């Protein structure tokens, strides 16, 4: 009571520093901060909620499990709930200050519950659904869904914690999930409940053809195919009546199965088919119109026998479904050029040439339900016969025969329908069959045979007369005696160029004998031909020519000649403008002429050209060319006789450009067998040379190795002369530990310095060895090869330690030498020249090897100055002239 009194008193007297609002979801902990400037431990701070004291300083007066003070009087509210919302006041009594915090706790609503007000859900009715929930701050919102698809908000209303849905029921809602969701800010995910809809509806019927659902009102099928219709039914509740099939509205008795099957479809099966059934909700049906497709059936009208100049109409009548795609007309199996849409063929005035067999073909396309199609056709034909008056002709209008000749035959050809009556006349008098005249007649021809011409009175005009009910006609044949041929007529020019003239003419009667024609050019050039045409070539341009033509047989020439004057055209190009030949080469191996022209000048011309080849003592050739380069095949005998080549106008070989010479190339024919044999011989020779070189190298190595093995430290060898040579330039140095072993070996060789040829100033070296029996032996043989010296008491000189002494030569006069054998190499007398060698690093010789003398045998060390003087004196590091004051250079080569 005291605290409450103090709180009331102070609340009126304190100054409010700040007012804050805090929103938090339920179930979390909330910290309410209370901060005052200059706050001391003596200040009294109190927390209250809506006038109820919660704490004073650190003391909790309320629920100690719910509240806690931390830090400088911050209030912790644990696991907040909806009733923790309110106004929290923090007051400092001593400073008369306060802070206000408005706490709002967001609370979750309860899981919604969904109720269906309608007892039965029927398609087309309005159903009421109610969704309720409890609690929630702020108030929850509602969302309705069917199979996760939101429902339009216009179908439902929302009140606090309640929502009502008025849903028009459809068949598609059957077995669907109706979902009600609630949500507010306190929820991480919406809360929902669902209800499965059981919507009752009348039967839904679908017709299926084979594996395809019938979606169109018309179903196309093909005649003679098999038809299957399945009546698929969906209903809730189940159907209560059996399935009924109707065709064109009439019941099909005896068919209650959901499947209707027609084994072989006929055209009379076309119509509308209906499937009917019902349940407690209502009655339903589905219909489809079956259209039967069939190939065309063609019928042709018109034709028969017609008179000439009458009108012909042929009509193609077709029964088909679907309609015809195209028509085709044929005459005697030859397609006519008519429109594909023309079902009738009309000829206004027929002639004898229109007779024949006419055929009409009609096509359509039948489509299957799977999208494929097949083309069908039908055809029929009729004969058309045209009647016409006779047409008479004679293959020999003039016939020549000798007097008193026997069996003279006159021929007459007759074309008519119907057949004609034939009468022969001579000088307008009818001829009847007799001993002199015979008449032979068949369908298309008639022959008059005169057994023997008795006199010139049988020569004259014979007429063949033909007639039928449509008219008559005749042909006359002149019978005469044999004579010279008639003059050719109708001379016509067919072509004239700058170098050619082509002409034709009409031959006259040959006089009874085979005839030829004589064609002359300017009355000088005569040509004979059997044909009624001729071509003059290689003429001069812009030249006038007179041409005459006569006929000739065995009796002579025609009495007159037919003449014509023609002028050739001017050349289209000057000689200077003809293409130039860049090169022309004859290849003897291929027997060809290879040429190339100036390509630019060749392409600019539009006239035919030829390349002229001048051959010695022969007529010139001019080969037509179409490209700027090419190859011309020549005769073998002409290769050596070709003189020049030039470019000329085609068929005008005298009008040419500049002539050029021909290059001759004789290609050498390679004999591949000879090359192969030569290659084998060369390879064999190279192999033989290689073997010889190999054998020589191996022999040399064996000789060198045998000489090296013959020399040992215990066998006395012939004297060997060592000539001093200039020290080579120092290339490298060995490390000291390697040099030390080399010094020892060098010292051993320097002991051999005791002998020297006084005449040649050459050092004589003698090698000795002790035999197993203690006696000494010597060998006078020598070798010019380098000799390896080894000390049996020292380390081996093999490998990298092997010591090679170069420039060793045998003595020129071994008989003048005296030598002495020693059983111990250490007993060899020391030369005074050994004292001239310095054992210093500065005195290293060639390739890093120093001059070295063993310490135990050194008697005298000569200064560098003396060595320089001796070198300058002789030019070499050679021993001095005295026997005991000689010098030598020893070096080791390590590979």
């Amino acid at each position: 009571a005291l605290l409450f009194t103090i709180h009331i008193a102070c609340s009126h007297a304190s100054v409010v520093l700040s007012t804050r609002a805090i929103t938090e979801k339920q179930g979390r902990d909330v910290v309410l901060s209370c901060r005052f400037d200059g706050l001391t431990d003596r200040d009294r701070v109190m927390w209250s909620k809506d006038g109820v004291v919660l704490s004073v300083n650190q003391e909790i007066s309320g629920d100690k499990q719910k509240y806690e003070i931390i830090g400088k009087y911050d209030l912790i509210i644990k696991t907040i709930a909806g009733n923790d919302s309110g106004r929290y006041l923090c007051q400092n009594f001593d400073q008369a200050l306060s802070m206000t915090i408005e706490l709002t706790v967001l609370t979750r609503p309860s899981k919604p519950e969904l109720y269906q007000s309608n007892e039965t859900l029927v398609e087309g009715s309005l159903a009421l659904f109610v969704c309720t929930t409890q609690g929630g701050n702020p108030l929850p919102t509602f969302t309705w869904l069917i199979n996760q698809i939101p429902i339009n908000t216009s179908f439902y209303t929302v009140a606090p914690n309640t929502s009502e849905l008025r849903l028009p029921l459809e068949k598609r809602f059957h077995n669907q999930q109706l979902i009600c969701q609630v949500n507010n800010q306190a929820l991480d995910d919406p809360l929902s409940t669902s209800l499965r809809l059981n919507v009752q509806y009348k039967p839904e019927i679908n017709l299926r053809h084979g594996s395809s659902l019938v979606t169109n009102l018309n179903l196309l099928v093909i005649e003679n195919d098999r038809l299957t219709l399945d009546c698929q039914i969906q209903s809730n509740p189940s159907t209560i009546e059996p399935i009924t099939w109707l065709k064109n509205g009439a019941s099909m008795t005896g068919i209650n199965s959901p499947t209707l099957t027609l084994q072989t479809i006929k055209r009379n099966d076309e119509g509308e088919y209906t499937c009917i059934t019902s349940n407690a909700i209502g009655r339903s049906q589905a219909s489809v119109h079956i259209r039967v497709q069939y190939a065309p059936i063609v019928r042709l009208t018109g034709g028969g026998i017609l008179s000439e100049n009458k009108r012909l109409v042929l009509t193609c009548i077709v029964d088909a479904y679907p309609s015809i795609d195209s028509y085709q007309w044929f005459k005697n199996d030859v397609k006519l050029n008519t429109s594909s849409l023309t079902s009738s063929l009309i000829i206004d005035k027929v002639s004898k040439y229109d007779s024949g067999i006419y055929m009409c073909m009609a096509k359509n396309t039948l489509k299957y339900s799977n999208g494929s199609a097949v083309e069908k056709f039908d055809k029929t034909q009729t004969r058309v016969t045209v009647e016409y008056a006779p047409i008479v002709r004679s293959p020999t209008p003039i016939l020549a025969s000798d007097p008193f000749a026997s069996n003279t035959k006159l021929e007459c050809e007759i074309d008519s329908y119907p057949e004609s009556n034939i009468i022969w006349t001579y000088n307008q008098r009818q001829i009847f069959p007799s001993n002199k005249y015979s008449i032979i007649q068949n369908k298309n021809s008639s022959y008059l045979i005169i057994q023997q011409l008795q006199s010139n009175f049988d020569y004259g005009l014979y007429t063949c007369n033909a007639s039928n009910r449509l008219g008559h006609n005749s042909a006359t044949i002149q019978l005469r005696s044999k004579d010279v041929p008639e003059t050719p007529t109708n001379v016509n020019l067919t072509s004239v160029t700058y170098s050619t003239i082509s002409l034709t003419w009409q031959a006259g009667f040959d006089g009874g004998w085979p005839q030829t024609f004589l064609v002359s050019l300017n009355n000088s050039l005569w040509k004979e031909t059997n044909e009624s045409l001729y071509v003059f070539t290689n003429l001069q341009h812009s030249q006038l020519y007179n041409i005459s033509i006569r006929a000739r047989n065995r009796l002579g020439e025609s009495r007159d000649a037919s003449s014509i004057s023609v002028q050739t055209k001017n050349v289209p190009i000057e000689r200077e403008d003809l293409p130039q030949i860049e090169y022309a080469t004859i290849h003897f191996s291929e027997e060809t002429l290879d040429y190339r022209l100036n390509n630019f000048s060749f392409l600019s011309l539009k006239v035919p050209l030829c390349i002229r080849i001048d051959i010695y003592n022969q007529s010139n050739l001019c080969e037509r060319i179409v490209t700027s380069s090419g190859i011309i095949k020549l005769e073998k005998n002409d290769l050596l006789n070709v003189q020049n080549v030039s470019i000329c106008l085609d068929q005008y070989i005298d009008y040419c450009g500049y002539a050029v010479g021909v290059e001759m190339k004789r290609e050498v024919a390679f004999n591949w067998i000879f090359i192969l044999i030569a290659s084998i011989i060369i390879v064999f020779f190279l192999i033989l040379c290689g073997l010889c070189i190999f054998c020589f190298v191996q022999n040399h190595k064996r000789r060198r190795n045998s000489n090296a093995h013959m020399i040992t430290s215990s066998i006395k060898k012939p004297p060997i002369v060592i000539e001093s040579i200039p020290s080579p330039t120092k290339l490298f140095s060995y490390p000291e530990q390697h040099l030390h072993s080399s010094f020892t070996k060098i010292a051993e060789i320097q002991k051999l310095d005791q002998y020297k040829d006084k005449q040649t100033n050459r050092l004589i070296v003698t090698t000795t060895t002790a035999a197993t029996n203690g006696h000494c032996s010597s060998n006078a043989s020598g070798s010019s090869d380098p000799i390896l010296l080894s000390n049996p008491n020292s380390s081996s000189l093999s490998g990298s330690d092997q010591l090679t002494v170069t420039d060793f030569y045998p003595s020129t006069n071994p008989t003048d030498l005296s030598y002495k054998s020693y059983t111990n190499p250490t007993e060899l007398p020391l030369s005074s020249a050994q004292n001239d060698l310095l054992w210093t690093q500065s005195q290293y010789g060639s390739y890093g090897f120093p001059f070295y003398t063993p310490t135990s045998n050194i008697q005298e060390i000569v200064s560098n100055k003396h060595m320089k003087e001796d070198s300058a004196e002789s030019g070499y590091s050679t021993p001095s002239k005295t026997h005991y004051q000689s010098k030598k250079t020893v070096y080791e080569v390590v590979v």
Side-chain angles (χ1 to χ4, degrees):
L2 179 60
L3 291 175
F4 180 74
T5 304
I6 295 173
H7 166 66
I8 295 299
C10 293
S11 61
H12 294 286
S14 63
V15 177
V16 179
L17 295 179
S18 65
T19 300
R20 290 182 298 155
I22 297 177
T23 301
E24 190 58 78
K25 294 181 180 180
Q26 72 177 90
R28 300 182 180 180
D29 296 344
V30 176
V31 178
L32 305 181
S33 299
C34 186
R35 295 287 186 269
F36 297 102
D37 293 336
L39 182 66
T40 64
D41 295 339
R42 297 180 181 180
D43 293 344
R44 293 165 296 170
V45 178
M46 180 184 71
W47 278 96
S48 63
K49 175 195 174 186
D50 297 332
V52 177
V53 178
L54 302 178
S55 68
V56 175
N57 289 349
Q58 300 291 335
E59 185 68 22
I60 300 298
S61 59
D63 187 356
K64 292 183 172 56
Q65 301 295 329
K66 184 74 174 179
Y67 303 104
E68 181 182 353
I69 299 297
I70 62 173
K72 289 296 184 178
Y73 310 114
D74 290 342
L75 177 63
I76 297 179
I77 307 175
K78 301 177 180 180
T79 314
I80 60 175
N83 55 6
D84 291 327
S85 298
R87 183 180 183 189
Y88 289 81
L89 180 65
C90 177
Q91 293 178 299
N92 189 332
F93 296 135
D94 297 297
Q95 297 184 15
L97 300 175
S98 64
M99 302 177 65
T100 302
I101 299 176
E102 293 287 343
L103 177 62
T104 300
V105 179
L106 303 177
T107 60
R108 295 185 292 272
S110 63
K111 184 176 181 180
E113 296 180 357
L114 181 58
Y115 304 97
Q116 174 184 321
S117 61
N118 301 65
E119 182 178 356
T120 303
L121 302 180
V122 179
E123 179 187 13
S125 63
L126 189 66
L128 176 62
F129 300 92
V130 180
C131 183
T132 61
T133 185
Q134 300 294 328
N137 182 31
L139 290 176
T141 59
F142 289 84
T143 303
W144 292 86
L145 304 97
I146 292 183
N147 260 16
Q148 304 301 328
I149 299 175
I151 298 176
N152 196 307
T153 57
S154 63
F155 290 103
Y156 60 87
T157 60
V158 178
N161 296 102
T162 302
S163 178
E164 294 182 354
L165 172 65
R166 290 173 173 79
L167 181 65
L169 296 177
E170 300 179 17
K171 178 178 58 179
R172 61 188 179 94
F173 295 155
H174 179 61
N175 275 336
Q176 303 294 312
Q177 289 284 347
L178 179 64
I179 302 173
C180 176
Q181 288 183 350
V182 294
N183 195 11
N184 72 350
Q185 298 177 6
L187 294 172
D188 295 329
D189 296 308
L191 302 176
S192 63
T193 185
S194 64
L195 175 67
R196 184 169 294 276
L197 301 179
N198 183 17
V199 179
Q200 296 183 357
Y201 54 91
K202 65 181 181 179
E204 179 184 3
I205 302 176
N206 291 315
L207 293 178
R208 185 176 292 272
H209 174 230
S211 60
S212 303
L213 188 66
V214 179
T215 57
N216 297 327
L217 296 179
N218 292 328
L219 177 62
L220 296 178
V221 296
I222 296 178
E223 189 178 20
N224 298 324
D225 282 357
R226 185 173 182 269
L227 172 64
T228 299
L229 283 178
D230 290 327
C231 188
Q232 296 182 344
I233 302 172
Q234 292 181 355
S235 66
N236 184 29
S238 302
T239 58
I240 59 177
E241 291 184 2
I243 293 175
T244 302
W245 285 95
L246 304 178
K247 178 184 177 182
N248 297 329
S251 177
M252 300 178 68
T253 59
I255 302 178
N256 296 321
S257 171
T259 301
L260 174 63
T261 302
L262 300 178
Q263 294 295 340
T264 303
I265 301 175
K266 301 300 179 183
R267 299 183 196 181
N268 55 10
D269 291 329
E270 185 170 311
E272 184 179 59
Y273 290 81
T274 304
C275 175
I276 301 176
T277 189
S278 63
N279 66 357
I281 304 302
R283 186 183 184 92
S284 298
Q285 67 180 30
S287 300
V288 63
H289 190 85
I290 303 297
R291 296 299 305 269
V292 180
Q293 304 175 93
Y294 51 93
I297 300 174
V298 180
R299 183 168 56 90
L300 189 59
T301 63
I305 299 176
L306 292 86
S307 297
E308 194 173 21
N309 297 324
K310 296 294 183 179
R311 192 170 189 262
L312 172 65
V313 178
L314 298 177
T315 303
C316 196
I317 301 175
V318 182
D319 179 18
Y321 184 81
S323 59
I324 297 301
D325 298 329
S326 64
Y327 295 89
Q328 290 182 358
W329 287 91
F330 298 84
K331 176 188 176 184
N332 298 331
D333 294 330
V334 178
K335 185 179 178 181
L336 300 178
N337 187 19
T338 58
S339 172
S340 61
L341 303 178
T342 301
S343 61
S344 296
L345 179 63
I346 301 174
I347 302 176
D348 290 329
K349 291 183 178 182
V350 297
S351 65
K352 73 183 191 69
Y353 302 106
D354 295 323
S355 297
I357 298 176
Y358 289 81
M359 182 177 64
C360 173
M361 177 186 294
K363 297 181 180 180
N364 70 346
T365 303
L366 309 184
K367 299 179 181 179
Y368 291 95
S369 57
N370 59 5
S372 61
V374 60
E375 187 178 67
K376 296 291 184 179
F377 69 92
D378 188 28
K379 59 185 178 180
T380 187
Q381 63 186 23
T382 186
R383 179 179 292 275
V384 175
T385 302
V386 178
E387 297 180 332
Y388 54 94
I391 301 174
V392 183
R393 62 175 294 273
S394 174
T396 56
I398 301 176
L399 182 63
S401 180
D402 293 328
F404 307 104
S406 61
N407 295 331
T408 302
K409 181 187 290 186
L410 283 69
E411 181 182 1
C412 177
E413 295 178 353
I414 301 99
D415 182 15
S416 66
Y417 189 85
E419 292 185 6
S420 299
N421 183 28
I422 308 300
I423 297 176
W424 284 90
T425 63
Y426 171 63
N427 293 333
Q428 298 182 357
R429 292 194 305 267
Q430 183 176 353
I431 300 175
F432 296 97
S434 64
N435 294 332
K436 185 174 182 178
Y437 299 103
S438 299
I439 298 176
I440 301 174
Q441 186 170 341
N442 55 30
K443 183 178 180 180
N444 296 320
S445 301
S446 180
Y447 300 91
L448 174 63
I449 301 175
I450 304 174
Q451 301 298 332
Q452 186 175 8
L453 296 180
Q454 297 178 354
S455 64
N456 290 335
F457 294 102
D458 289 332
Y459 293 119
L461 299 178
Y462 291 82
T463 303
C464 174
N465 300 278
S467 62
N468 63 7
R469 61 185 179 85
L470 297 177
H472 67 277
N473 206 338
S474 63
T476 300
I477 301 173
Q478 181 185 8
L479 180 61
R480 50 181 281 187
S481 61
K482 293 184 178 182
D483 197 357
V484 295
E486 295 181 353
T487 304
T489 58
N490 298 329
V491 179
N492 293 316
L493 295 173
T494 58
S495 175
V496 178
T497 67
Y498 51 82
S499 63
T500 62
I501 297 176
S502 301
L503 68 161
T504 62
W505 58 88
Q506 184 177 352
F509 179 60
D510 59 4
W513 298 102
Q515 66 177 341
T516 58
F517 302 97
L518 298 177
V519 184
S520 68
L521 186 67
N522 289 340
N523 296 322
S524 60
L525 178 62
W526 290 87
K527 297 293 183 179
E528 187 172 4
T529 178
N530 295 327
E531 304 293 334
S532 297
L533 56 91
Y534 193 79
V535 178
F536 291 97
T537 60
N538 204 29
L539 304 178
Q540 297 295 322
H541 65 281
S542 302
Q543 184 71 32
L544 182 64
Y545 291 94
N546 294 317
I547 301 173
S548 61
I549 304 171
R550 287 178 178 273
R552 181 170 66 178
N553 64 8
R554 64 187 300 178
L555 299 179
E557 297 179 359
S558 59
R559 295 177 177 81
D560 296 317
S562 296
S563 301
I564 188 173
S565 297
V566 185
Q567 183 176 3
T568 56
K569 295 183 179 180
N570 193 16
V571 291
I573 187 173
E574 299 295 334
R575 294 178 185 269
E576 294 77 9
D577 296 332
L578 289 172
Q580 298 180 1
I581 299 178
E582 294 183 352
Y583 69 83
T585 305
I586 287 182
H587 299 273
F588 285 90
S589 60
E590 300 176 359
E591 299 180 3
T592 58
L593 171 66
D594 184 10
Y595 69 91
R596 181 176 181 83
L597 312 181
N598 184 289
N599 191 54
F600 176 77
S601 61
F602 178 80
L603 295 177
S604 62
L605 297 179
K606 303 299 181 182
V607 294
L609 302 175
C610 65
I611 180 169
R612 173 175 165 173
I613 304 173
D614 297 332
I615 301 176
Y616 179 73
N617 285 339
Q618 292 187 29
S619 60
N620 300 326
L621 301 177
C622 200
E623 295 288 339
R624 177 76 178 271
I625 59 176
V626 294
T627 58
S628 60
S629 62
I631 298 175
I632 298 175
K633 190 73 174 178
L634 297 177
E635 294 293 335
K636 187 174 182 180
N637 298 330
D638 297 338
L639 295 176
L640 293 175
N641 297 324
V642 176
Q643 295 178 321
N644 298 310
V645 291
S646 56
I647 300 300
C648 308
L649 291 179
D650 190 30
Q651 297 183 352
Y652 196 4
I653 62 175
D654 294 332
Y655 195 85
C656 304
Y658 297 106
V660 298
V662 179
E663 179 183 359
M664 305 292 183
K665 282 193 175 181
R666 298 179 181 269
E667 292 80 359
V668 179
F670 289 97
N671 191 332
W672 295 108
I673 297 178
F674 172 78
I675 294 176
L676 179 61
I677 295 175
S679 301
I680 294 174
I681 294 174
I682 292 173
V683 171
F684 178 78
F685 178 76
L686 292 178
I687 294 175
L688 186 61
C689 292
L691 291 175
C692 293
I693 295 173
F694 178 77
C695 293
F696 176 79
V697 173
Q698 293 297 323
N699 186 36
H700 181 72
K701 288 183 178 180
R702 283 196 300 270
R703 291 174 56 193
R704 186 178 61 184
N705 292 338
S706 63
N707 291 336
H709 287 298
M710 291 173 60
I711 300 175
T712 61
S713 61
S714 62
I715 298 176
K716 188 175 182 180
K717 297 294 180 178
I720 298 175
V721 178
I722 300 177
E723 291 186 353
S724 299
I725 59 173
S727 287
T729 305
K730 178 178 180 181
L731 298 180
F732 60 86
S733 300
Y734 276 137
E736 184 176 354
Q737 59 270 24
H738 290 185
L739 293 175
H740 209 17
S741 63
S742 299
F743 295 159
T744 304
K745 297 175 178 64
I746 294 171
E748 295 174 359
I749 296 176
Q750 289 175 343
K751 292 178 182 182
L752 305 178
D753 201 19
Q754 56 183 333
Y755 295 115
K756 184 177 181 182
D757 189 351
K758 298 180 181 181
Q759 298 178 359
T760 60
N761 198 24
R762 295 181 178 178
L763 182 63
I764 305 301
V765 179
T766 305
T767 58
T768 64
T769 182
T772 57
N773 56 6
H775 294 85
C776 298
S777 61
S778 63
N779 193 341
S781 62
S783 175
S784 61
D785 292 338
I787 299 176
L788 304 179
L789 304 180
S790 63
N791 188 349
N793 298 327
S794 64
S795 62
S796 175
L797 296 179
S798 62
S800 63
D801 294 334
Q802 179 174 312
L803 184 61
T804 303
V805 181
T806 60
D807 296 329
F808 279 31
Y809 300 91
S811 176
T812 59
N813 190 6
T815 58
D816 296 338
L817 297 177
S818 62
Y819 52 88
K820 180 180 180 181
S821 300
Y822 293 88
T823 58
N824 191 347
T826 59
E827 297 178 1
L828 293 173
L830 297 178
S831 173
S832 61
Q834 296 174 344
N835 298 328
D836 297 337
L837 301 177
L838 296 178
W839 185 44
T840 60
Q841 188 69 23
S842 62
Q843 295 301 319
Y844 286 178
S846 173
Y847 301 97
F849 300 109
F851 302 109
Y852 177 75
T853 302
T855 307
S856 60
N857 298 325
I858 295 177
Q859 300 177 1
E860 182 181 1
I861 300 176
V862 183
S863 65
N864 293 334
K865 179 179 178 182
H866 293 163
M867 295 181 64
K868 293 179 180 178
E869 290 176 356
D870 293 338
S871 299
E873 185 178 328
S874 62
Y876 297 91
S877 297
T878 58
S880 63
K881 295 182 179 180
T882 63
H883 179 72
Y884 294 103
Q885 294 180 351
S886 61
K887 296 180 182 180
K888 71 183 182 66
T889 298
V890 179
Y891 52 89
E892 178 182 2
V893 178
V894 179
V895 180

